[in-house]
Amino acid sequence: MDTILIVDDHPLFVDGLQLMLSDLWEGVEILSAHSVKEAKAILEQNAAIDLIFLDLNMPGECGRAMLNLHAEMMITAPVIVVSEYSTPENVHQVLELGASAFLSKNLAKTQMAECLRAIQCGQIYLPPSVELALQQYRNSVLLEYRAIESVLSARQKEILVLLANGYSNADIGDSLRISESTVKSHVSKIMNLFDVDNRTACVAEAVRLGFLK
């Protein structure tokens, strides 16, 4: 018998997903966990999990911790992330962490069927609109991020965070125990990297590219 594990802390969503999967996958056994901790306990006791559905946002450890655990425990079951936060950055990150699919929580039954067929064939599955947005992100924002990331120093990253928190050059110097002139030099370089001419625009670009949350 095939076994699916659903890791999600919303009972109503879990119940609905169980009904959908039972209808699409005959004879499947469905287990559920409401946290990463519960999921770990289930996986330690049951090595025969065939597929994992994972919510990214749960109390305690987030879904990304589950993806890291999945790799550490060398679990072979594919992971389908189901989340309401389907930003291209989120999708890119979970695929990089080993997820095999990304679905929105308002998915239709036909989309779930397509996803299951793709997973069973060993393929990565994304809804067409999500895949298009991901391609655009990787061809633009991600390229910009990597270009800046490759030259932005650890000290400049610290200063960028303080800039976002409204620190003046003097405040940054006091916080990091460096001279104000050194801070000015770093701020100038940071703004050049982000191709902006003021602090507000610099912070906005850093947020857009994913350096700041």
Side-chain angles (χ1 to χ4, degrees), residues 74-91:
M74 295 184 287
I75 298 164
T76 58
V79 176
I80 297 175
V81 170
V82 186
S83 174
E84 56 191 317
Y85 303 105
S86 57
T87 64
E89 183 181 3
N90 250 356
V91 176

Side-chain angles (χ1 to χ4, degrees), residues 87-102:
T87 64
E89 183 181 3
N90 250 356
V91 176
H92 172 77
Q93 288 174 354
V94 299
L95 292 181
E96 289 287 294
L97 288 171
S100 295
F102 193 109

Side-chain angles (χ1 to χ4, degrees), residues 3 42-50 75-77:
T3 305
I42 290 172
L43 289 166
E44 286 175 339
Q45 296 173 11
N46 190 337
I49 300 292
D50 297 288
I75 298 164
T76 58

Side-chain angles (χ1 to χ4, degrees), residues 145-186:
Y145 173 88
R146 286 175 172 168
I148 295 174
E149 169 70 15
S150 67
V151 293
L152 195 67
S153 70
R155 176 63 83 192
Q156 288 165 351
K157 290 177 183 177
E158 290 178 317
I159 291 173
L160 184 59
V161 171
L162 296 177
L163 284 177
N165 286 313
Y167 280 49
S168 67
N169 285 349
D171 291 336
I172 293 172
D174 290 341
S175 178
L176 300 180
R177 297 183 180 179
I178 57 179
S179 70
E180 189 171 348
S181 62
T182 299
V183 174
K184 287 180 180 178
S185 176
H186 279 305

